Amino acid sequence: MLIRVPKKSEIKENELTPESVYKSRREILKKLGIVTASLPFAAQAQANIFGIFGGDDDKAADGTTFVRSPLVAEKTPYGKGLETTPESKVLTYNNFYEFGTGKGDPVENSQNFVVNPWTLEVDGLVNKPMKLSYDDLLKKFPLEDRFYRMRCVEAWSMNIPWVGFSLAALLKEADPMGSAKYVAFETLHDPKQMPGQRSQFVGGGIDYPYVEGLRLDEAMNPLTLLSVGLFGQTLAPQNGAPVRLVVPWKYGFKSIKSIVKIHLLEAQPATTWNLLAPHEYGFYANVNPQVDHPRWSQASERFIGEGSIFSSRRQPTAMFNGYQEEVAHLYTDMNLKANY
Ligand code: MTE
């Protein structure tokens, strides 16, 4: 099988050591030639050569200067009772490799990112192809508050109050043809604005644009959200402005940011992390405590709440990130170990 069960020592390292320390150690070992790395990451380690002893690779940058606007949205019962991750952390602890691979890089490098004008194109196997402007995105579909859990494949999690609308609403309007089986998504490709797209070192070795995909029935599930905001305001660039996907039962890398294209097709589309490391990141990427990442356990996660990022509490990972009732039926006859 493609999944390798991690050795006990590997689980301990990842579970008990704060992520920044763990990563710095790995970088040091890599530099000493003790740990082998895949090519893009070896290159990246080389690029980081002067930074590693500072240990600040994952330090969240302070502040955000991008001006967000308030949004009016209907309240929904999603996420009632969940503990909220502070807005300051949602805005400064990010993964958006187009702006750099450190957690603080996106906020630091994206504040002048142009989100208006914007065009989101919906095409492929649909009867009514569409082009949505920035204003269409905010006004065409009634907005809802959706408070969701978010679980990153790196074994940390946040609870985030999103604003957006069901992807299903948009897809219904585009009117998928009977032959459509999958939905492919694409992030903006603009190396002038995105330093990670200009340099393999900055962008983590990814071949841009970042692409993602869902099966059509996953895309039509009412939980699947196109988000245009969080904490009652429009999205900040570092969180994927002006429009991003949120698929709360899947690992965070499926939730593609700053989308310019939605394309319906018959065959399963290629996805960025699967292209980069197919033995580690599959197409499905459903949150599953029983299917470990080849290099670490997925049985538990570090919840980012109040307090210092690295003193966050550990909690067990929930099957489908707690959304079993809403989505388990999508995978009834599927081997989730083989389809990781
Ligand atoms: N989308 C693009 N285009 N580029 C990225 O690097 N990172 C993904 C996802 N979407 C990513 C992306 C990963 S790994 C995660 S965990 C989430 O965005 C993080 O979302 P957040 O920074 O808003 O918390």
Side-chain angles (χ1 to χ4, degrees), residues 94-98 150 152 187 210 239 244 252 255 257:
N94 300 103
N95 277 333
F96 199 168
Y97 277 26
E98 285 86 338
M150 187 182 75
C152 180
T187 294
Y210 193 103
N239 295 107
R244 69 170 294 168
S255 293
K257 296 178 169 182

Side-chain angles (χ1 to χ4, degrees), residues 28 39 53 65 69-70 74 85 88 115 123 154 178 190 199 204 220 230 241 246 248-249 267 279 281 321 336:
I28 292 164
L39 244 188
F53 291 108
T65 54
S69 312
E74 191 192 323
T85 297
S88 58
V115 303
D123 64 9
E154 297 165 345
D190 185 354
S199 150
M220 295 297 284
L230 41 76
V246 181
W249 71 95
H279 57 294
Y281 308 101
N321 204 23
L336 296 177

Side-chain angles (χ1 to χ4, degrees), residues 31-50:
K31 282 203 337 192
L32 295 174
I34 295 169
V35 176
T36 51
S38 62
L39 244 188
F41 293 103
Q44 200 185 314
Q46 229 172 36
N48 287 342
I49 201 157
F50 298 113

Side-chain angles (χ1 to χ4, degrees), residues 89-90 93-100 106 150-154 156 158 160 162 186-188 194 206 208-212 230 238-240 244-245 251-258 273:
K89 288 182 180 152
V90 176
Y93 187 84
N94 300 103
N95 277 333
F96 199 168
Y97 277 26
E98 285 86 338
F99 293 103
M150 187 182 75
R151 169 63 153 82
C152 180
V153 74
E154 297 165 345
W156 54 264
M158 293 185 180
I160 303 177
W162 300 104
E186 199 174 301
T187 294
L188 178 73
M194 295 169 146
I206 289 176
Y208 292 103
Y210 193 103
V211 287
E212 255 308 334
L230 41 76
Q238 61 269 29
N239 295 107
R244 69 170 294 168
L245 191 66
Y251 291 119
F253 66 85
K254 298 293 290 182
S255 293
I256 181 172
K257 296 178 169 182
S258 305
W273 283 97

Side-chain angles (χ1 to χ4, degrees), residues 104-331:
D105 291 344
V107 63
E108 220 161 278
N109 298 327
S110 71
Q111 298 309 289
N112 297 320
F113 184 58
V114 178
V115 303
N116 188 14
W118 192 269
T119 307
L120 168 62
E121 215 173 337
V122 186
D123 64 9
L125 300 175
V126 292
N127 291 311
K128 291 187 208 145
M130 291 193 277
K131 276 186 186 169
L132 300 170
S133 69
Y134 179 83
D135 282 347
D136 291 337
L137 289 168
L138 299 186
K139 294 187 188 134
K140 196 173 163 65
F141 299 94
L143 299 180
E144 293 175 26
D145 280 323
R146 299 276 192 103
F147 188 18
Y148 283 167
R149 297 184 183 84
M150 187 182 75
R151 169 63 153 82
C152 180
V153 74
E154 297 165 345
W156 54 264
S157 68
M158 293 185 180
N159 295 334
I160 303 177
W162 300 104
V163 181
F165 52 90
S166 280
L167 174 63
L170 179 144
L171 292 178
K172 274 181 201 153
E173 191 150 324
D175 190 13
M177 294 177 183
S179 50
K181 300 280 177 292
Y182 291 90
V183 186
F185 304 85
E186 199 174 301
T187 294
L188 178 73
H189 188 239
D190 185 354
K192 277 202 187 105
Q193 291 203 76
M194 295 169 146
Q197 292 183 343
R198 288 198 296 273
S199 150
Q200 286 264 313
F201 290 143
V202 179
I206 289 176
D207 192 11
Y208 292 103
Y210 193 103
V211 287
E212 255 308 334
L214 294 172
R215 245 173 32 198
L216 183 59
D217 58 346
E218 295 177 320
M220 295 297 284
N221 187 280
L223 273 184
T224 306
L225 193 72
L226 271 184
S227 167
V228 294
L230 41 76
F231 287 90
Q233 298 193 57
T234 48
L235 289 174
Q238 61 269 29
N239 295 107
V243 61
R244 69 170 294 168
L245 191 66
V246 181
V247 196
W249 71 95
K250 292 180 179 283
Y251 291 119
F253 66 85
K254 298 293 290 182
S255 293
I256 181 172
K257 296 178 169 182
S258 305
I259 305 170
V260 289
K261 194 164 199 149
I262 297 180
H263 183 80
L264 280 79
L265 66 174
E266 200 163 352
Q268 184 176 301
T271 56
T272 284
W273 283 97
N274 181 252
L275 288 169
L276 200 64
H279 57 294
E280 300 197 344
Y281 308 101
F283 177 80
Y284 281 92
N286 290 317
V287 176
N288 188 338
Q290 279 137 38
V291 178
D292 287 329
H293 186 281
R295 289 184 281 122
W296 59 82
S297 164
Q298 293 291 22
S300 69
E301 67 201 29
R302 185 165 55 77
F303 175 72
I304 297 178
E306 298 288 348
S308 127
I309 291 242
F310 297 112
S311 65
S312 337
R313 69 164 189 263
R314 279 242 153 227
Q315 62 188 25
T317 302
M319 186 65 203
F320 296 119
N321 204 23
Y323 298 98
Q324 202 152 359
E325 221 171 274
E326 290 91 337
V327 301
H329 67 274
L330 296 170
Y331 312 103

